[in-house]
Amino acid sequence: MDDGKMTVRAVERALDILLCFTTETELSLTEIAGKSGLHKSTVHRLLASLEGKGFILRNPSSEKYRLGFRLWELSANLSRSDDPEVLLLPEMEHLRDMLHETVSLYVRDGLERVRIQAVQSNQTIRRVAQVGARLPLYVGASSKVLVAFADRSVQEQVLASPSWPAILEQQTFLRQLEEARELGFATSVEEREPGAAAVSVPIYNRSQKLAAALALSGPSNRLTLEKMREQAPVLKEFAIRMGKMLR
C-alpha cells in the first residue's frame, strides 16, 4: 500500500473513533476498540494524535476518553442564521407549544433521512428525538414524505436498495407513498419503534423544491391516527410558512 492510501486510511480510522462518541459521553480504550472494530494498539496511537490536536480529552483518574474542546470550536461555525435548522427553530417551537408534542425536521441524505433539528415535547410522557440521528427511508412518516414528494429517481433508488428489509412489502410502501401524495401528509404508527407515532408534511422552498420534512411525533396512545389526521392541516400551514422563509 502506498503512502497516500495509508494516510487516507489513518484519517478514516480517526474519524471512526470520533464517531464512537455519537451515543456515549465517555469511553475506555477497550470500548472504543470494540465500537470501531480496530485493534487496541491502533486506537491508542490514534487517540494520542487526536488528543494532541485537542479533539479528544483523557480523564487521568478513570482512564476514559471524551470529545475535546476543538470540536466545539468547529461547531461554532457549523450553522449560519440562514440554515434551516436555525431559521425554522422558532416556528418549530411555536408548533410544539400549539400541539404539545415533539417536533422534528428531517432532510434526505442519500438513502437515509437525518434529523437536523428537534424541539422536545414538554409533556412528562413524550418521545425524545435526538438531533443528528440517521434513519432509513423505507419506514416512518418522514421517510414517506421525503420519498413521495421527491423526484421519481429517489423512489427507484430506495426500492432498489440492497438494505431493503425482506419483511417489508414494496407494494404496500408504494401505496403509502401514493396516499401521502393524495393527502399531502404521511403517518406512521409503531412502524419503527413500539409505542411511537408520527405525522409528517413536506416543506418546499421558494423554488418549489422539496427542502425537508416536518414531523410531529409522540406516544401512539396519545397521538392516534384520528388525532394525527386532525393535526395535519396545522402542520401544513406551518410548512407553507417555513417554506417561504427558506431561500
Side-chain angles (χ1 to χ4, degrees), residues 162-233:
S163 63
W164 182 277
I167 61 173
L168 294 181
E169 294 184 0
Q170 293 194 350
Q171 289 303 316
T172 300
F173 182 70
L174 289 172
R175 286 194 296 269
Q176 292 173 341
L177 296 184
E178 182 61 31
E179 181 180 7
R181 284 189 287 266
E182 291 176 358
L183 298 175
F185 67 90
T187 60
S188 65
V189 179
E190 299 187 340
E191 288 186 8
R192 195 175 60 82
E193 56 183 288
V199 54
S200 180
V201 298
I203 297 178
Y204 292 95
N205 60 23
R206 295 181 185 179
S207 301
Q208 291 304 300
K209 295 288 187 180
L210 180 65
L214 177 66
L216 187 77
S217 61
S220 56
N221 61 349
R222 190 169 66 220
L223 203 57
T224 63
L225 190 57
E226 180 181 4
K227 187 72 173 179
M228 289 190 288
R229 287 170 176 164
E230 292 176 358
Q231 294 172 333

Side-chain angles (χ1 to χ4, degrees), residues 7 10 26 40 44 57 74 92 114 127 136 142 173 183 187 195 207 218 223:
T7 302
E26 283 193 339
K40 281 187 179 181
H44 186 269
L57 292 176
L74 291 176
M92 294 175 66
V114 183
R127 184 174 183 276
S142 294
F173 182 70
L183 298 175
T187 60
S207 301
L223 203 57

Side-chain angles (χ1 to χ4, degrees), residues 28-153:
S28 67
L29 175 64
T30 301
E31 290 170 332
I32 295 173
K35 281 179 167 289
S36 63
L38 300 173
H39 292 296
K40 281 187 179 181
S41 59
T42 301
V43 172
H44 186 269
R45 185 175 66 253
L46 291 172
L47 282 172
S49 297
L50 290 169
E51 186 179 1
K53 291 292 185 179
F55 289 98
I56 288 289
L57 292 176
R58 182 174 63 88
N59 187 334
S61 59
S62 65
E63 290 298 321
K64 288 196 171 186
Y65 298 84
R66 60 185 175 87
L67 295 177
F69 296 113
R70 187 55 60 89
L71 286 170
W72 291 103
E73 295 176 21
L74 291 176
S75 66
N77 296 315
L78 179 62
S79 295
R80 306 190 310 271
S81 60
D82 59 347
D83 286 340
E85 64 270 27
V86 177
L87 188 65
L88 304 182
L89 181 57
E91 289 293 321
M92 294 175 66
E93 292 174 336
H94 185 193
L95 181 60
R96 183 272 313 275
D97 294 340
M98 281 185 61
L99 301 182
H100 311 294
E101 299 291 358
T102 295
V103 179
S104 298
L105 190 68
Y106 293 92
V107 296
R108 184 178 66 84
D109 183 19
L111 294 178
E112 295 179 310
R113 59 179 162 118
V114 183
R115 187 183 293 119
I116 62 171
Q117 187 59 279
V119 179
Q120 313 298 340
S121 168
N122 290 325
Q123 302 201 57
T124 303
I125 300 176
R126 60 186 177 182
R127 184 174 183 276
V128 178
Q130 180 184 1
V131 175
R134 287 181 169 269
L135 304 166
L137 281 177
Y138 49 73
V139 66
S142 294
S143 291
K144 296 172 192 174
V145 165
L146 291 173
V147 177
F149 296 94
D151 294 336
R152 182 80 177 184
S153 60

